[in-house]
Amino acid sequence: MWYPPSIAPFVAIPTADIVPDLESARRHGLGDPAYFVGACPTSLPDGWRFASRSYILQLFPTADIPEAGEDAGIVLGETDRIAMRELTQIAFPDFFRERTADLGLYLGVYEGARLIAMAGERLALPGQQEISGVCTHPDFTGRGLARQLTRALLSRHRRRGVRSFLHVSEGNAGARRLYDSMGFVVRASLLMCKVERITAPL
């Protein structure tokens, strides 16, 4: 299973011993490169290679995170898409795509005509909603914008009766400090493998 590349670059397989038919998947819409999350294949078909391996942490909020208002920032829409892409290309290039914002609600903060911070929703499971795309432009850090937007989403999720969760790169020390200070706790460490096509099959 995979997302259309205009939405997200992620692929899922049930177990690592499966050799994915990446060429067939590519003909049917799989993007290149692609990222396996959780279960990464032990081996790849000819013409593909592993470009990198890393770990991401899955975090859930503890019950004692205080309530916050839902009015932080503004709700971002179609007219904000270019600004959203420009901001996320600084924070985490390759993961936020043209249609990623179709997956949920996104909140943002502008300084004049410039989008300087945002946070939103991505993966949805029964009774659960992922917080994603949390980022602040490097010129505007230290104002607590990411914290405000994240807490606003937490409050919206509580009102809807869904449980929030999020993912962060194991090596992203700044984001981990933020979420630790907010009361998030690590539930799981997930392997993420980036794969890319290197040759066309003969």
Side-chain angles (χ1 to χ4, degrees):
M1 297 179 63
W2 63 87
Y3 282 100
S6 62
I7 294 179
F10 303 120
V11 187
I13 54 175
T15 60
D17 58 353
I18 292 175
V19 179
D21 187 350
L22 294 174
E23 285 301 322
S24 175
R26 182 172 174 271
R27 289 193 295 270
H28 288 85
L30 176 70
D32 172 23
Y35 294 80
F36 287 88
V37 178
C40 293
T42 304
S43 59
L44 298 176
D46 291 343
W48 291 78
R49 69 179 180 186
F50 290 105
S52 65
R53 294 174 184 263
S54 60
Y55 283 89
I56 57 175
L57 303 177
Q58 186 177 84
L59 281 66
F60 279 78
T62 56
D64 57 352
I65 292 181
E67 291 285 348
E70 299 179 10
D71 56 352
I74 62 170
V75 175
L76 301 175
E78 288 287 341
T79 58
D80 302 294
R81 295 293 178 91
I82 293 176
M84 295 166 76
R85 286 272 288 164
E86 289 175 348
L87 178 58
T88 54
Q89 285 302 302
I90 297 172
F92 25 74
D94 206 26
F95 293 113
F96 194 93
R97 303 297 180 85
E98 295 87 348
R99 294 179 52 216
T100 300
D102 290 352
L103 297 177
L105 172 77
Y106 280 80
L107 303 175
V109 176
Y110 276 89
E111 179 91 351
R114 187 181 191 183
L115 182 66
I116 62 171
M118 60 176 271
E121 300 170 336
R122 188 172 56 184
L123 305 180
L125 300 168
Q128 300 183 60
Q129 177 70 65
E130 181 190 24
I131 294 175
S132 183
V134 181
C135 55
T136 302
H137 191 282
D139 293 345
F140 298 92
T141 57
R143 298 186 182 184
L145 299 175
R147 181 185 300 271
Q148 294 169 26
L149 296 174
T150 301
R151 289 185 65 188
L153 289 170
L154 285 168
S155 294
R156 287 171 180 263
H157 292 172
R158 287 183 180 178
R159 175 172 52 80
R160 286 165 45 197
V162 297
R163 189 180 185 195
S164 310
F165 68 100
L166 56 82
H167 296 96
V168 62
S169 171
E170 187 177 57
N172 190 340
R176 290 183 63 181
R177 283 194 298 270
L178 168 65
Y179 298 131
D180 286 347
S181 71
M182 292 183 66
F184 282 85
V185 293
V186 176
R187 176 183 178 183
S189 178
L190 306 173
L191 178 62
M192 182 170 70
C193 301
K194 179 181 179 181
V195 301
E196 60 187 12
R197 193 168 183 260
I198 52 176
T199 61
L202 299 178

